[in-house]
Amino acid sequence: MEKKLNDLLKQFKIKTRDNRMIVGISDNSIEVKKDWIFVCRKKCKEHQQEYIRIALDKDAVVLCDEDFDINYRNVYKIENLEFKIPKILNAFYGNICKNLIVIGVTGTNGKTSVSGYITQILRCCSKKVLRIGTHIVEDGVHEYKTKNTTPDCFQLIQFFQFAVQEHIPMIVMEVSSHAIKQQRICFVNFDYIVYTNIASDHLDFHKTRIHYAFSKLSLMDYIKDDGRVIINIDDDILQNAYNFHQKKIITVGIHDAHFNIHHSQLTEKNISFYMNDWKFYAPLLGMFNIYNLAEAICVTYLLHIPIKKIQTITRTISSIPGRMEVLNRNSFYVWIDYAHTAQAIKKVLLFAQQVCKSNIYIIMGCGGNRDSHKRIEMANIACKYSTKAIFTTDNPRFEEPHKILFDLCKTPYKNYEVFENRQFAIKYTIKKAIESDIIIIAGKGDENTQEMNGYFYHFNDGECVRAYLEREDLCWK
């Protein structure tokens, strides 16, 4: 990408004789290079002088808001800069979504699973797809780690540009409520938006459930004129949304729906169900995965993938790492799942009750510096629907682990044990398990780190389970 600086600034009624070719744009002063534009946003106002100096030292151009008291060469001021970011991105990249098929997946639970299933089906049909998901961006060959579910708009648009340059026509991306509220997707126009469900999460950020739901539903503002929204009609909030946006919405569910789910069967190994007149099998677990897979089938069908082809693919579709991932040894099962809300944990436990012939153990914790009110609710559900709950650390962040565990122990139930060390909690529970037991390790999924006091320590639930099972005879002597 190359654009003349004077042509770019003309759109903001700024005159300059500088006609250098701009080759990149970012709001990260560390990332910018020679002949890049550094957008100095208000969120960095405290350190603006330092960031601007770093960018100018690299011979970059700086854009900042008019209320910044700065008068340097190669610094240009734009009124209400934050609101002009979509226009700045469009001026440099053009209408980047015009020739892309963009599929956004949002919801309290199931985003990673649905986006993963859509990607698998499309790739099995030789379609090139860029998937942007929780902590990862990948094209089937290369992977790039990210910090957030949905990257910041300046980073995100670089991934979109990568797709254009590599002739990848489809993007499947998870969209978080933070990303919608913070306008990280300000330049995106979606062909399809998928809503899995809307419950309650991130109240430390959104403050109320109404604001959280409103943020999620605001994603519909980013749909293309001919785009479609796929919703789980069995979700109460989404059902209400349908009443206001019927023309663009396609429904999936067990009740009156365009794509009607019926005759569902669940076992400890797989699922099967009908959707309209089509029957599907998949080596996945739980009713929630029937909903997830059904929405993925709906999207790919709308993308003109033949239904018989989809039926064949789903028979061997892979579970998403850390999303109801199943490990078993000596006839007991270990399920690893990202479930980190009360609703998600309840769904996993209710399914476990349906298929378990023995004891159900759940290992869980709560993240630090997040909504603390949900801790007692999660503890109550964990104890109510399991044989025994094992409370342990999740990502304490900057909060003392024992304080989080103390909040969990406020539950009136008594069928729990507490181990601050997550690795020890996992090993203890596996050691305790007998034939036909199910151990559910919830909260972190396939995350590879634990965050404590600003440090990220390597830790992966699946690795811990596999390592212990492989050297079982050497442990606990």
Side-chain angles (χ1 to χ4, degrees):
M1 293 293 298
E2 288 188 351
K3 293 286 175 70
K4 281 189 177 182
L5 177 62
N6 50 8
D7 288 339
L8 287 172
L9 295 181
K10 235 183 245 184
Q11 300 186 42
F12 302 95
K13 299 180 179 178
I14 297 174
K15 294 181 180 180
T16 179
R17 294 180 179 179
D18 190 340
N19 64 352
R20 76 172 87 179
M21 299 300 293
I22 296 298
V23 296
I25 183 169
S26 176
D27 65 343
N28 184 341
S29 61
I30 303 299
E31 182 182 51
V32 298
K33 304 176 180 68
K34 184 180 186 311
D35 295 332
W36 277 46
I37 286 177
F38 168 56
V39 180
C40 187
R41 305 173 73 174
K42 281 196 172 181
K43 66 181 182 180
C44 67
K45 191 167 185 176
E46 186 178 342
H47 303 286
Q48 65 183 26
Q49 296 274 1
E50 179 186 352
Y51 296 153
I52 289 173
R53 179 187 55 76
I54 291 171
L56 293 176
D57 285 347
K58 297 177 180 180
D59 200 18
V61 174
V62 176
L63 300 183
C64 65
D65 210 295
E66 277 199 340
D67 62 356
F68 280 11
D69 185 21
I70 293 172
N71 290 292
Y72 295 142
R73 184 173 171 272
N74 293 328
V75 175
Y76 301 90
K77 296 182 180 180
I78 297 177
E79 184 180 6
N80 295 320
L81 176 71
E82 200 68 27
F83 296 99
K84 304 286 178 59
I85 286 175
K87 187 175 179 181
I88 293 169
L89 293 173
N90 186 70
F92 184 71
Y93 290 97
N95 184 1
I96 200 163
C97 297
K98 183 178 180 181
N99 297 314
L100 291 170
I101 295 174
V102 186
I103 302 162
V105 183
T106 194
T108 306
N109 302 301
K111 294 186 293 296
T112 301
S113 294
V114 174
S115 60
Y117 300 151
I118 292 171
T119 301
Q120 284 189 61
I121 295 170
L122 291 174
R123 286 180 180 163
C124 284
C125 297
S126 302
K127 307 291 185 183
K128 296 179 72 175
V129 180
L130 182 72
R131 181 173 68 91
I132 302 171
T134 305
H135 306 305
I136 192 170
V137 177
E138 54 90 11
D139 63 359
V141 180
H142 307 99
E143 292 185 358
Y144 182 86
K145 299 296 182 184
T146 59
K147 291 182 179 180
N148 301 314
T149 299
T150 312
D152 185 84
C153 60
F154 288 93
Q155 186 182 30
L156 185 62
I157 201 167
Q158 289 180 36
F159 291 129
F160 274 57
Q161 180 62 23
F162 169 81
V164 171
Q165 290 173 338
E166 297 299 315
H167 305 290
I168 300 173
M170 296 183 179
I171 293 178
V172 179
M173 62 179 291
E174 299 176 46
V175 187
S176 68
S177 59
H178 286 72
I180 300 167
K181 177 62 179 174
Q182 295 172 346
Q183 296 186 317
R184 299 182 203 165
I185 53 168
C186 61
F187 67 90
V188 183
N189 299 120
F190 293 95
D191 295 87
Y192 298 96
I193 293 174
V194 183
Y195 282 95
T196 59
N197 46 66
I198 298 179
S200 176
D201 200 10
H202 303 301
L203 295 190
D204 55 302
F205 177 77
H206 292 283
K207 306 306 179 187
T208 68
R209 295 183 179 189
I210 292 174
H211 186 271
Y212 172 73
F214 174 78
S215 297
K216 287 286 191 185
L217 294 174
S218 297
L219 184 60
M220 292 189 196
D221 294 339
Y222 295 87
I223 196 78
K224 291 180 181 178
D225 290 340
D226 58 348
R228 289 291 179 266
V229 178
I230 294 90
I231 68 167
N232 169 8
I233 194 65
D234 298 335
D235 181 273
D236 291 340
I237 293 176
L238 293 175
Q239 192 174 61
N240 289 330
Y242 175 62
N243 296 327
F244 295 96
H245 299 276
Q246 289 188 19
K247 289 183 179 180
K248 284 188 175 292
I249 290 181
I250 295 171
T251 59
V252 176
I254 61 175
H255 301 299
D256 294 332
H258 298 110
F259 289 82
N260 180 239
I261 300 168
H262 55 99
H263 291 89
S264 303
Q265 290 189 321
L266 308 173
T267 76
E268 73 278 10
K269 296 179 181 178
N270 54 40
I271 58 176
S272 65
F273 62 97
Y274 279 87
M275 193 161 71
N276 293 347
D277 296 326
W278 311 309
K279 188 170 186 179
F280 298 93
Y281 293 92
L284 305 173
L285 297 181
M287 189 65 200
F288 40 86
N289 260 326
I290 288 182
Y291 279 107
N292 293 339
L293 186 58
E295 290 194 306
I297 292 167
C298 176
V299 172
T300 51
Y301 176 73
L302 294 173
L303 287 167
H304 308 295
I305 304 299
I307 204 69
K308 287 187 177 180
K309 182 72 172 175
I310 299 174
Q311 287 173 311
T312 301
I313 294 168
T314 59
R315 285 180 174 273
T316 57
I317 203 164
S318 300
S319 61
I320 308 303
R323 269 67 178 181
M324 287 306 286
E325 184 180 2
V326 182
L327 303 172
N328 70 295
R329 172 77 167 239
N330 299 329
S331 299
F332 68 84
Y333 293 89
V334 180
W335 297 353
I336 299 173
D337 194 67
Y338 190 63
H340 61 286
T341 65
Q343 183 192 52
I345 286 175
K346 184 177 179 180
K347 284 182 178 179
V348 174
L349 286 169
L350 286 175
F351 171 60
Q353 287 184 344
Q354 286 181 263
V355 299
C356 186
K357 301 178 180 66
S358 188
N359 301 304
I360 300 171
Y361 298 95
I362 180 164
I363 301 169
M364 58 149 286
C366 290
N369 305 114
R370 296 292 188 268
D371 177 19
S372 61
H373 299 291
K374 73 178 185 180
R375 293 173 186 172
I376 186 66
E377 183 183 6
M378 291 174 67
N380 289 342
I381 286 173
C383 291
K384 181 178 179 180
Y385 296 102
S386 71
T387 308
K388 179 161 284 188
I390 311 296
F391 297 149
T392 187
T393 54
D394 189 291
N395 287 312
R397 299 185 178 89
F398 291 95
E399 196 169 349
E400 291 294 332
H402 71 268
K403 291 183 179 178
I404 301 172
L405 294 171
F406 180 76
D407 286 343
L408 292 170
C409 292
K410 291 177 182 177
T411 177
Y413 295 92
K414 302 302 179 185
N415 58 323
Y416 67 82
E417 294 187 59
V418 181
F419 298 99
E420 184 172 314
N421 185 297
R422 190 176 181 92
Q423 184 178 22
F424 189 86
I426 291 171
K427 290 182 177 180
Y428 167 83
T429 311
I430 291 175
K431 183 71 176 178
K432 195 177 181 69
I434 60 174
E435 185 175 348
S436 300
D437 284 355
I438 292 176
I439 299 170
I440 300 163
I441 306 176
K444 289 177 62 59
D446 64 338
E447 289 181 2
N448 286 317
T449 59
Q450 261 193 308
E451 183 182 354
M452 299 182 183
N453 293 317
Y455 293 94
F456 290 84
Y457 300 94
H458 181 80
F459 188 86
N460 178 279
D461 287 341
E463 285 181 12
C464 183
V465 171
R466 291 184 185 92
Y468 176 64
L469 293 178
E470 286 172 4
R471 61 175 187 266
E472 187 173 4
D473 294 337
L474 301 177
C475 296
W476 300 94
K477 297 267 179 146

